[in-house]
Structure formats: structure tokens, C-alpha cells
Amino acid sequence: MKKDVSYLKSPDLLPIAHKDKKIGTTGFAMMWVGMAVVLAAFAIGGAGVQSLSLTWVVIATLIGSVAIGLFITIIGDIGIEHGLSFPVYMRAPFGTLGTHIPSIVRGLAASFWFGINTYFGSTAMNAILNVLFGFDNWFVCFLLFATVQLVNTSLGIKAVERFADLAAPVIILISVWMYISLSDQALAQGREVWSWIESPVTGGAAVSAFLVVIFSNMGFWATISADIPSISRFIKAPQFERSWLKRNKGTLIGSVIALPLTQTFMVIIGGVSYIAVSNYDPVVALQEAATGLILGILLLMIVLAQWSTNVSANLVPAATIFSNVGGPKVPFWAGVFIAGIVGSVVQPWSLFNILIPILLVVGGILSAIIGILYCDYYVLRKRRVNVPDLYEDHGQFRYAYGVNLAGLIAWIIGGVAAYYLSTYSFLVGFLVGAISYYLLAKFWWFKKYSQAEILEPSDEKYLGITVGRDWIIDTETEKESVKEVGSSIE
């Protein structure tokens, strides 16, 4: 009689082998071009130019985007080095059962963002169809748009990358056209986009407004910087490469160059849109500024951008999390559709003005998880991970009934601090979460529950791609093994 496979060993959550890493450096950069075009980025620009000039908003956005890009790359090494997804590695700092609590929070947030972005894209799609054919039913567009995205994502990461490669050049070209159109509309009203400010502030108020823009950009991407391993585990990287910079070159170029440039340009469009029509939503602005075919082409960018954002930044992470919760009975494609259903039933069109502020707060609270991941992976384990035990029901990561209390307590402390200091939520959550976890894990929890890779810090036993290892998990028995890539070559 065949033994049941542990829910920890869901096939879609097993470590990705080197040969199965399909995303190249250019592909990941193109994914960022699509992911960064979201309504929240436009909102940051629109809010920024109410107090600062667009020039200062751009400087603050670049600072915040580069900073969060570095955090994304740092955490992304978990996927690069070991081929592990976010919810699987979270078994280390939270336990095999405890991982579900913060992971589900992130999964729900990703699902809600999917609903919001799909609604935003469906309004643009409806506007296009209205211009071209006189069709006017945004809800039908919502259902159609959601279905197409879900099917695209369920086909796997390579399908996601291929769509990004197709959409990114179109998004770039149309974005430039959109900026020119909105700038012309603003100039027609006597407003020079790079100097106009609605209510200028000076002194300390200006510094505060500048910092708000920085941390708004960081807080918004806090969610993806936590679960970036779910994507980075598919990114190609050189084997036997001990240089962190060389090993993470692909994610660095995407997260520290492509993300900041795209994010900044979208913030500019949001700012120019607000200057032109007092509304940061470019769909509204474009409908006032353009007509006919030109309007249709401009709105096409919004549709493609929401599609690209959703499949990479929301559906892939959410589906991976839901698959982790459900085990082998919930494959990746099923997780994709669960995320789509959850994101739709909350009716984002009705809760639009409430959901975005809530999700930005959640992003700040999730920043504590980034601090915990950093501390657990880099500070305590020194990037060495006893990967086979992550898939064991009774391995070292079971802790107390499947829960690592050090991680949960540190998350609560960091999350509360981030909530009450919301202006600087990302930095506060990261630092408080990391410090709390370090103290609790090192001087309390890991004294009760020893960790093999900390007691015996062996690179050969506990590193992955750096030593040319593919982690192989035996799903048929309780035994695991590792495969040394190239070890059979003589």
C-alpha cells in the first residue's frame, strides 16, 4: 500500500533544480517593467505633487525604489541559493504549521491586490471597447479580464515571463506617449509639470513630505520583497559561484535598475495626471485628454500593465501560498484560481477607497517579516539551510507543535511598531522584527530547539547552488537526499 505523501511535500513546492530555472536576467527585468505599473504608484505621484515639486517627488521615489530593490534582492537569494519558495522557507522562522499564519495574510493581500488591479484594468478595457464599438459594461470586462489572467498564470512561470516580454516594450512606448499627452494637457492650463505644486510646504514639513514619498514607495513593495523567493527560485544563476553579487546579478538588475526606473516613471505619470486634471488616475485623465483611437491605444497600456502586474506580483505568490496550505491536493493552478476567486468576491469596485489604505498598512506590517527572514537566513543561519527538514513532519522545523514562537512573537512586536509608526513603517518593521527575532531565537528558542546548520555550519552540507547542489526531496518515503550536480563527471 502506497504511503500518503506529507502535505509538506506538495510537488509544486519542492526546490527548483538548476536546470529548471527558466527566467533570465532580461526576462526578470521585463517582469518588473510590467509589475511596477499600478494604481498605487500613480497615487504616490498624485499625492506627492500636492506638497512638493515633481522633481523632488522623483528624487524621493528613486531613493525609495532603489532601497526596496536592494531588500528584494537580499531576500531573493533564498530562492536563488536553495530554489525555495516563500511559504516553504517560512517554515524555518515560523515552523511547519506557524508558516501558514503570516503566509495567509500575504496571500490574502496579494489576492485583494489582484482584484483591485483587475478592476482598474477592466475600467480601461471597458473604455477601449466603448470607444471602438460602443460597448459599455465594466463588469463583463472584469470577468473576462480576470479569467484571461488566471489562465495565463496557471500555465506556469514560463508563460508569465513570455507575457512580460511581450507586454513590456508596449508598456514603455505607450507610457512615453501618455506622459506627453498629459503634459500637454497640463501646459494648456498654464501648469508647468516640473515646477507646479498645489500647496507648497517648506522646512520641516517639506522634509516630512519627502520622507513620506520615500517610505510610501518602500511600503508598497514590502509585500513582494517578503515573498520574492517564490519568483527568484526560477531565476537563472551560475553554479559554484561564491560571490553574492555575481550570483544575484539577475535579481539586482531587475530589482535595483528596472524597478526604480519603471516605478519612478509611473509616479511621474501619476503626478502629471494630478497636475492636469486634479486626479491621479490616468484612466480618468486620459478620457478627458484624448479621444478615439489615440485614447484606445493609451488605455491599452493600462490593461497590459495590470495584467503583467497581477500574474507576477500577485497571482504567483498567492497561488504558491495557497498550495502550501492545501498541500498536494491544491496544485499551483488551483491556488491561482483560489486567489482569483478571493480577489473578486471582496468586490474591489465597492471597497476600492478602503482596500488600498488597508493593504498599504498590511504592507508595512509585513515588513517585519522581511526583517525576520533577513535575520534568520543571513545572521543566524549564514545562508546555510537544512532544506530536507523543511519537508519533514517531525524534523527540526516542527518546533513546538509546528510553531516557532520566536518568529510569531517577533512578527507581532515588529508589526505593532510598524502600525503605530506608519509613516516609516517599512524601516521600523524591518528593524524591530529583525532585532526581536535575533534575541528571541538565539537566546531562547534555538536553545530549546537546536538547528543543525547552526551547530554544524558546513557549506558542503547546507548550501545549495553555491556548492553546485540541487536539493532533491523524496516524496515517497521519509528519507531525503541531495544531489551533487556534476559529481558524476569524471
Side-chain angles (χ1 to χ4, degrees), residues 166-245:
L166 171 68
V170 178
I171 289 170
I172 292 171
L173 291 173
I174 298 179
S175 295
V176 173
W177 191 359
M178 183 183 291
Y179 168 76
I180 294 171
S181 297
L182 292 171
S183 296
D184 289 344
Q185 187 176 4
L187 284 173
Q189 301 177 50
R191 297 176 176 178
E192 206 289 313
V193 296
W194 291 97
S195 60
W196 184 88
I197 309 172
E198 185 174 58
S199 303
V201 293
T202 58
V207 173
S208 295
F210 185 76
L211 291 174
V212 164
V213 176
I214 291 176
F215 286 105
S216 292
N217 282 283
M218 295 186 71
F220 175 67
W221 290 113
T223 50
I224 195 69
S225 58
D227 58 19
I228 187 62
S230 293
I231 296 175
S232 66
R233 66 186 182 136
F234 294 102
I235 297 176
K236 298 174 184 176
Q239 287 184 310
F240 302 102
E241 180 55 74
R242 291 190 173 271
S243 167
W244 187 92
L245 288 174

Side-chain angles (χ1 to χ4, degrees), residues 354-373:
I354 300 174
L355 274 178
I356 286 185
I358 290 175
L359 290 172
L360 290 176
V361 170
V362 170
I365 294 174
L366 287 174
S367 66
I369 291 179
I370 303 169
I372 292 169
L373 286 172

Side-chain angles (χ1 to χ4, degrees), residues 446-460:
F446 288 169
K447 288 186 178 296
K448 292 166 63 72
Y449 301 95
S450 60
Q451 303 295 288
E453 58 271 55
I454 296 178
L455 291 178
E456 183 190 357
S458 168
D459 288 358
E460 295 304 317

Side-chain angles (χ1 to χ4, degrees), residues 322-338:
F322 293 143
S323 182
N324 180 57
V325 174
K329 294 181 180 179
V330 182
F332 177 79
W333 68 264
V336 169
F337 281 88
I338 291 173

